[in-house]
Amino acid sequence: MSQGKQNHTGHLFTVEILIEEATNGLAMEKLLHLLNAQTVKDYQILKGIELGKLIELNTTKKESTPPSYTGKKAVTSPPPATPAPTMTSTAPSGAADHIITQLEGFKANNTLIRLTVIKGQGIKLNLPCRILNYDSSNQNVAVYHVDEKKVYSFKLNEIDDYVAF
């Protein structure tokens, strides 16, 4: 009988998880914290991510009524100077295109925005920045952090919220 290394094999499970929290972003943060345990080797979130819903809601209201404010965040979108690039994504095309159009508009007008990003293990970043570039092939957004004077790159799906100043 040998006490050597045991042969471990991976097992794949399909589950639906309900997490109660005040916002989708906070629930996603808790879920990511749970999934980034050492026993979970890999995961894929297929649905439940509600990125940009507040932005979409505020901009559709803005078209028919005066600018609205939700809490302390106001969303404004300047008209884009260039057409938005096409995007291949699992997100609904209209919402993703709208977000990309807004980001391209912020880039063209050199607009200062506050970007909220959720990185791996639920790390939440909140940074004042300007959009430098959007790479549609990799879905990367390059931003210039105005306080730290550094350039950062984020995946489009890591962006939780943004507010224009």
Side-chain angles (χ1 to χ4, degrees):
M1 214 187 231
S2 171
Q3 292 287 347
K5 211 177 195 182
Q6 292 180 347
N7 188 11
H8 292 278
T9 57
H11 302 278
L12 182 63
F13 300 93
T14 303
V15 298
E16 289 189 21
I17 300 172
L18 173 66
I19 297 178
E20 290 183 339
E21 234 353 293
T23 66
N24 182 266
L26 291 173
M28 177 64 73
E29 184 177 353
K30 277 190 174 180
L31 177 63
L32 290 174
H33 184 69
L34 291 170
L35 291 175
N36 285 319
Q38 286 187 350
T39 55
V40 178
K41 296 297 180 196
D42 194 17
Y43 59 87
Q44 183 178 19
I45 300 173
L46 300 175
K47 63 181 178 176
I49 301 172
E50 295 180 5
L51 296 177
K53 294 293 183 184
L54 285 175
I55 295 165
E56 187 176 337
L57 178 66
N58 283 326
T59 54
T60 54
K61 282 182 185 177
K62 188 174 131 180
E63 291 170 1
S64 60
T65 62
S68 61
Y69 297 90
T70 54
K72 60 183 176 185
K73 298 178 181 177
V75 178
T76 59
S77 61
T82 57
T86 57
M87 179 174 143
T88 56
S89 170
T90 57
S93 179
D97 288 342
H98 182 68
I99 292 169
I100 293 167
T101 302
Q102 282 189 323
L103 292 177
E104 289 289 336
F106 294 149
K107 173 186 168 188
N109 295 327
N110 203 24
T111 305
L112 180 64
I113 65 171
R114 180 159 300 275
L115 192 65
T116 305
V117 178
I118 298 180
K119 298 292 286 178
Q121 298 182 347
I123 298 170
K124 193 172 192 176
L125 303 174
N126 194 341
L127 51 144
C129 62
R130 298 186 192 279
I131 304 293
L132 295 176
N133 190 30
Y134 171 69
D135 180 12
S136 60
S137 62
N138 296 328
Q139 295 183 356
N140 286 336
V141 179
V143 299
Y144 175 74
H145 192 301
V146 295
D147 290 341
E148 294 179 4
K149 297 184 179 14
K150 291 183 181 178
V151 175
Y152 291 95
S153 180
F154 300 110
K155 289 284 192 185
L156 189 61
N157 65 354
E158 291 177 321
I159 297 174
D160 184 44
D161 192 18
Y162 55 90
V163 179
F165 291 108

